[in-house]
Amino acid sequence: MLKLIKIAVGSAAAIFLADLSGLNYSTSAGIITLLTIQDTSRETIIISAKRICAFLLATGLAYTVFRLFGYSVFSYGIFLFLFIACCGSLHLGTAVSTNAVLVTHYLLEKNMSPASVGNEALLLLIGAGIGTLLNLYMPDKGREIRLMQRRLEEDLRAVLFRMAEYIGKEERPDYTESCFDKLQADIGVGKKQAYTYMNNTFFQESEYFIDYMNMREQQTVVLRDIYKKIMSMRTVLPQTEQVAELLGETAETFGESNNACGLLAKREEVLLRMKDSGLPVTRQEFEERAVLYGILMDLGYFLQLKKAFSDALTKEQVRRYWSGE
């Protein structure tokens, strides 16, 4: 709804300002504003910059083509072919339509005098300028993303608590991969919110949310591997309880501002206790303990991902996003 309001108000304002300035084809300024307003501030600024660069290219090509072949539809076709080809190679494709329309004004006027070129330049600057200014304002979605982070942590916590519960059972008929469905869906929404937030802000620390969502996505992949290992187990060993306790403790304490160092140390303690245990007596016990060891390796990677994320944070990111923890 906000974007629609910006388009309506901005287009009308651009046409009014172009009329007030005495420009010909003033309605084109409104169309340019409509085409300029994108979903994010960063996209809007980029597309405006591209259109200005493309305008310089279009003016040069149009002047050359019209001077050589005259002001005719045939000449416009030659210009359009060259212009589209050049814009494609220069990654200015999004600026083609706007400038192609502006060049038609030269064709209608059958001249490219300085006044005519200035008219088109002002139409572009007014239309793109108003669109860019309006789109610099975007509602702050920071709180929305913070809420999504809390949801993600609850999703992860639920998955880890279920692992701690079901690793200690020999039968798991109701333990399925559906426990990951909500987590995966929320990560998808969270990543979309994070990219939108970054594209509407202009400070480096805004990338924090993207890095956070990517880290949680990687952790989810690791948790799926742990789930598969749990499902492969058929007996409960004395060491199983130690791993279950570690999974439960991870679920309770792994929150956003936990750098995972404490949990990594406790994982090492569990590994040492397992190594100090007596040797397996049966082949099945050997295989089950190998699976438990694999789970601890996966859990270590899960925690290392969080530690690497924490270690990479800038002081400003810690101040901005962890100060309330």
Side-chain angles (χ1 to χ4, degrees):
M1 179 60 73
L2 179 61
K3 183 178 179 181
L4 293 177
I5 294 172
K6 288 180 179 179
I7 288 173
V9 173
S11 296
I15 294 172
F16 175 77
L17 186 57
D19 272 334
L20 198 64
S21 303
L23 300 179
N24 296 325
Y25 309 104
S26 58
T27 53
S28 295
I31 300 300
I32 293 171
T33 297
L34 183 155
L35 296 173
T36 297
I37 295 176
Q38 304 295 306
D39 291 332
T40 66
S41 299
R42 189 169 298 188
E43 286 177 303
T44 299
I45 291 172
I46 290 172
I47 203 167
S48 294
K50 285 185 175 182
R51 283 185 177 141
I52 291 171
C53 292
F55 175 78
L56 298 175
L57 174 63
T59 300
L61 283 175
Y63 180 80
T64 303
V65 171
F66 290 148
R67 189 175 182 86
L68 290 174
F69 303 103
Y71 292 88
S72 67
V73 174
F74 173 75
S75 300
Y76 183 74
I78 295 175
F79 156 78
L80 207 55
F81 175 82
L82 295 172
F83 182 55
I84 293 173
C86 290
C87 284
S89 63
L90 296 173
H91 305 290
L92 298 173
T94 53
V96 167
S97 57
T98 300
N99 286 284
V101 170
L102 293 178
V103 170
T104 61
H105 299 164
Y106 301 138
L107 181 63
L108 293 170
E109 295 292 329
K110 296 191 181 304
N111 78 78
M112 284 189 67
S113 64
S116 182
V117 174
N119 185 89
E120 305 312 312
L122 285 173
L123 287 176
L124 178 63
L125 291 174
I126 289 172
I130 289 178
T132 302
L133 285 173
L134 284 175
N135 236 29
L136 287 178
Y137 168 74
M138 286 288 182
D140 185 7
K141 297 291 185 179
R143 184 173 182 275
E144 187 177 292
I145 300 176
R146 299 297 280 175
L147 290 174
M148 179 55 69
Q149 284 182 293
R150 300 296 176 264
R151 283 176 58 179
L152 275 175
E153 289 180 9
E154 288 302 318
D155 295 342
L156 282 163
R157 192 167 283 114
V159 169
L160 283 162
F161 274 131
R162 282 175 67 82
M163 287 179 168
E165 175 187 355
Y166 281 95
I167 197 174
K169 295 181 178 182
E170 293 184 356
E171 299 294 330
R172 310 175 186 90
D174 56 340
Y175 188 36
T176 67
E177 280 195 276
S178 63
C179 62
F180 291 97
D181 291 348
K182 186 174 184 300
L183 171 60
Q184 202 69 57
D186 285 343
I187 286 174
V189 174
K191 288 184 72 173
K192 184 177 179 180
Q193 290 177 345
Y195 277 103
T196 299
Y197 180 81
M198 184 189 73
N199 286 325
N200 283 326
T201 53
F202 301 96
F203 51 88
Q204 183 180 2
E205 284 69 29
S206 63
E207 295 181 4
Y208 170 87
F209 292 118
I210 293 175
D211 294 338
Y212 175 89
M213 296 298 171
N214 287 336
M215 179 265 297
R216 291 306 189 201
E217 187 172 42
Q218 289 176 298
Q219 286 186 314
T220 300
V221 173
V222 178
L223 290 179
R224 286 185 182 275
D225 288 339
I226 294 176
Y227 164 82
K228 291 173 184 176
K229 289 182 174 66
I230 291 174
M231 292 300 291
S232 71
M233 298 178 69
R234 292 292 175 264
T235 59
V236 178
L237 304 176
Q239 294 85 359
T240 305
E241 184 177 350
Q242 299 172 25
V243 178
E245 289 177 359
L246 182 58
L247 287 167
E249 188 169 354
T250 301
E252 291 175 354
T253 62
F254 82 108
E256 180 182 4
S257 60
N258 185 333
N259 63 11
C261 289
L263 288 168
L264 282 166
K266 289 179 181 179
R267 169 186 164 276
E268 289 301 317
E269 292 175 8
V270 174
L271 276 171
L272 287 174
R273 287 201 297 270
M274 285 184 64
K275 288 178 181 178
D276 290 340
S277 302
L279 294 173
V281 177
T282 65
R283 178 184 178 87
Q284 184 175 12
E285 183 183 355
F286 173 82
E287 291 174 349
E288 296 289 310
R289 283 175 65 170
V291 173
L292 284 175
Y293 181 79
I295 290 173
L296 286 174
M297 293 299 102
D298 287 342
L299 187 58
Y301 182 48
F302 175 90
L303 297 173
Q304 283 290 352
L305 286 169
K306 181 59 192 298
K307 184 177 183 300
F309 168 78
S310 302
D311 291 345
L313 294 179
T314 65
K315 291 182 179 179
E316 177 60 21
Q317 285 174 327
V318 173
R319 185 195 68 78
R320 184 183 293 270
Y321 300 114
W322 285 12
S323 60
E325 290 293 316

